[in-house]
């Protein structure tokens, strides 16, 4: 009787453990269709144009770089202008038509045209842009009302969570892709302030500025970069919504960002500096200079 009771007890504990794991695990969604249909009206396609000026040479040859003749004969060239177009994505965060996108999508643009999911088109003006975080805020030039999306808490987004991206890759507006959060706290050296969310949801050229949604339909990231020049290889990066929202709120209120500034110049403590300063190991930061009147 004692042996059979032990077997029963072990079996019960094993069954409870397995049941508990299966109960806590999140099954993959059967479909993203309902979520995509709900979010699509809030995602926009952005097209911009700008004039690029070039100096054409009257000579059928070019002087070597650094040649004294290069500057001498440069003024003989005739200035030429050409129109350049670019595509990107964005999303509406206010019913009055406030749109968030990447700064590099609209930088130096002369005209900004925004197309909504139902193929309506509107001109837009820049409320504010921050190149350091690669975020821009636009205002649609219309009195119509729109369907906004809201920001989620990107700090709660976990590696392995399901996400979907909606955007305008290669001009194919309304494209929906899905994947998971692959990593957190990535830095690529593209801008000064980086803390990217990495995802394997397919992101391509034209997705820049588009939203990365969680399964609640909240924006947890702004798609901004990919690895791979030929297209998506399953490694895309998004600006976390929590850090983006701080910049966005300032751009809406002030038209610019207001960051704290410490009036000192610092540098890493190297092994050599540590020895000179009699430190037991290279640690901390060295104040190299103090700004005047700071």
């Amino acid at each position: 009787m004692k042996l059979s009771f032990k077997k029963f007890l072990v079996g019960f504990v094993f069954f409870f453990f397995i049941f508990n794991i299966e109960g806590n695990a999140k099954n993959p969604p059967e479909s993203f269709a309902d979520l995509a249909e709900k979010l699509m009206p809030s995602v926009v396609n952005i097209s911009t144009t700008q004039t690029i000026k070039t100096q054409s040479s009257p000579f059928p040859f070019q002087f070597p770089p650094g040649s004294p003749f290069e500057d001498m004969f440069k003024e003989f060239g005739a200035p030429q202008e050409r129109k350049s177009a670019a595509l990107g994505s964005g999303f509406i965060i206010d019913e009055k038509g406030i749109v968030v996108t990447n700064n590099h999508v609209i930088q130096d643009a002369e005209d900004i045209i925004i197309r909504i999911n139902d193929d309506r088109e509107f001109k837009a003006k820049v409320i504010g842009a921050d190149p350091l975080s690669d975020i821009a805020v636009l205002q649609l030039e219309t009195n119509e009302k729109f369907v906004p999306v809201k920001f989620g808490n990107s700090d709660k987004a976990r590696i392995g969570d399901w996400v979907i991206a909606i955007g305008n890759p290669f001009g194919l507006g309304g494209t929906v892709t899905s994947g998971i959060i692959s990593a957190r706290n990535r830095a690529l050296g593209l801008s000064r302030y980086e803390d990217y969310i990495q995802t394997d949801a397919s992101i391509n050229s034209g997705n820049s500025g588009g939203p990365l949604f969680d399964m609640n339909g909240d924006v947890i990231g702004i798609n901004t970069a990919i690895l791979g020049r030929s297209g998506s290889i399953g490694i895309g990066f998004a600006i976390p919504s929590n850090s983006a929202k701080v910049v966005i709120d300032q751009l809406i209120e002030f038209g610019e960002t207001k960051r704290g500034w410490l009036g000192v110049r610092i540098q890493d403590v190297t092994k050599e500096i540590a020895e000179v300063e009699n430190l037991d190991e290279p640690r901390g930061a060295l104040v190299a200079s103090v700004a005047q009147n700071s």
Side-chain angles (χ1 to χ4, degrees), residues 8-43:
F8 170 78
L9 184 61
V10 170
F12 175 78
V13 171
F14 178 77
F15 173 79
F16 178 79
F17 178 73
I18 295 298
F19 179 80
N20 194 45
I21 290 178
E22 291 180 348
N24 290 332
K26 292 183 178 179
N27 294 323
E30 293 182 1
S31 173
F32 298 102
D34 291 339
L35 188 59
E37 184 178 3
K38 172 188 172 184
L39 299 173
M40 203 80 76
S42 305
V43 181

Side-chain angles (χ1 to χ4, degrees), residues 57-64 69 73:
S57 173
F59 305 103
F61 56 85
Q62 288 185 334
F63 294 105
F69 298 103
F73 291 100

Side-chain angles (χ1 to χ4, degrees), residues 248-282:
I248 292 166
D249 289 343
Q250 289 187 356
L251 292 177
I252 293 174
E253 184 174 358
F254 307 112
E256 61 181 2
T257 52
K258 296 180 179 291
R259 294 185 173 93
W261 178 68
L262 191 64
V264 296
R265 185 170 64 88
I266 63 174
Q267 66 185 69
D268 292 335
V269 176
T270 63
K271 183 179 179 181
E272 292 75 18
I273 292 176
E275 291 176 354
V276 171
E277 298 295 333
N278 295 321
L279 299 177
D280 55 348
E281 61 180 20

Side-chain angles (χ1 to χ4, degrees), residues 118-140:
D118 56 8
D119 290 333
R120 290 178 296 167
E121 289 189 351
F122 303 93
K123 285 190 174 183
K125 62 180 180 180
V126 179
I127 294 178
D130 180 38
L132 298 182
S133 60
D134 197 18
I135 294 174
V137 179
L138 314 176
Q139 173 67 62
L140 298 181

Side-chain angles (χ1 to χ4, degrees), residues 4 25 45 60 77 135 144 146 160-161 186 203 244 266:
S4 60
N45 307 330
I135 294 174
E144 292 190 36
F146 299 91
D161 281 348
R186 294 296 200 202
I203 297 173
I266 63 174

